[in-house]
Amino acid sequence: MAESPVRTFVLDSLSGLELVNLEAERVTYQGRQAVRLIEQGEPDCAIAILPASDFVEGVIEAEIAGMPGRDAPQDMRGFVGIAFHVQAHGSRFECFFLRPTNGRADDQLRRNHSTQYISYPDYPWYRLREESPGIYESYTD
């Protein structure tokens, strides 16, 4: 069986990103160069797309970080993730995301909502949680 080719996307500029409901800026985060994405508009569909990617199936590895905004309400947990099977302009995609502040929360139910799978736009997190509780989300530290 042939090994799949490895493709690396270095975000050394913002020109290679298509932003949907996001603003982006280059920053230094914990001593490393990074891209900071800030939601604008509808939060259920805030996505940065790598339009030059021809990725179809395989493994995605990324280093991501996130935290709630300074003025975020107490029940807003901060969401960061990786979208795949992305259609034109983010009209449809699947996504696996993390709620970084949930993993070590005192409340067990909140910890159980640390990771989440969604399929936008038909199956957002709240629909999956209501129709299939505990199936599309789980705990992680």
Side-chain angles (χ1 to χ4, degrees), residues 100-117:
T101 61
N102 281 13
R104 296 187 179 174
D106 292 333
D107 176 37
Q108 181 64 53
L109 183 58
R110 184 172 161 199
R111 286 193 306 270
N112 292 347
H113 299 309
S114 298
T115 63
Q116 178 83 49
Y117 164 83

Side-chain angles (χ1 to χ4, degrees), residues 47-127:
I47 184 172
I49 302 167
L50 295 168
S53 172
D54 59 358
F55 181 83
V56 178
E57 296 290 333
V59 176
I60 299 171
E61 294 182 21
E63 294 181 26
I64 59 175
M67 64 185 72
R70 289 183 195 143
D71 299 328
Q74 180 65 14
D75 62 343
M76 297 302 285
R77 307 295 185 220
F79 297 77
V80 294
I82 300 291
F84 51 97
H85 298 149
V86 178
Q87 302 300 308
H89 311 296
S91 60
R92 303 185 80 73
F93 58 87
E94 293 177 79
C95 180
F96 178 80
F97 65 85
L98 304 169
R99 296 178 183 97
T101 61
N102 281 13
R104 296 187 179 174
D106 292 333
D107 176 37
Q108 181 64 53
L109 183 58
R110 184 172 161 199
R111 286 193 306 270
N112 292 347
H113 299 309
S114 298
T115 63
Q116 178 83 49
Y117 164 83
I118 64 167
S119 180
Y120 180 85
D122 298 329
Y123 294 93
W125 70 266
Y126 48 86
R127 178 176 178 186

